[in-house]
C-alpha cells in the first residue's frame, strides 16, 4: 500500500499542483514518498479511506417536516 501512495505523491496532478502553488518543494515530495514507503514496510501498517454521502431534503411546505420514509 505504501508504494501506491508513494507513487501518487510524485507522479500525479497532486505533485504538480502542490509545487505550482508553492505548498511543497520537489525535495519535500521526495521526503513524503520516502515516508510512505517506510510506513508501508512496517508489519503493522494499515490504511483506511472512508467515503460518505449526505442526503438532504427540502420540505414541500415550509415549516413542515419531511415524511420519515
Amino acid at each position: 500500500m505504501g508504494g501506491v501512495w508513494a507513487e501518487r505523491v510524485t507522479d500525479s496532478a497532486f505533485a504538480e499542483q502542490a509545487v505550482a502553488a508553492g505548498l511543497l518543494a520537489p525535495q519535500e515530495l521526495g521526503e513524503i514518498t520516502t515516508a510512505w514507503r517506510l510506513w508501508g514496510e512496517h508489519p503493522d501498517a494499515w490504511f483506511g479511506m472512508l467515503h460518505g454521502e449526505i442526503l438532504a431534503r427540502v420540505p414541500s411546505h415550509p415549516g413542515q417536516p419531511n415524511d420519515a420514509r
Side-chain angles (χ1 to χ4, degrees), residues 1-7 33 36-37 39-41:
M1 177 58 77
V4 171
W5 286 95
E7 290 173 17
T33 296
W36 271 113
R37 291 189 193 284
W39 168 82
E41 292 171 2

Side-chain angles (χ1 to χ4, degrees), residues 1-12 14-15 26 28-41 47:
M1 177 58 77
V4 171
W5 286 95
E7 290 173 17
R8 287 184 177 193
V9 169
T10 55
D11 301 327
S12 67
F14 164 77
E28 292 172 302
L29 292 172
E31 293 169 3
I32 294 169
T33 296
T34 299
W36 271 113
R37 291 189 193 284
L38 290 172
W39 168 82
E41 292 171 2
F47 181 81

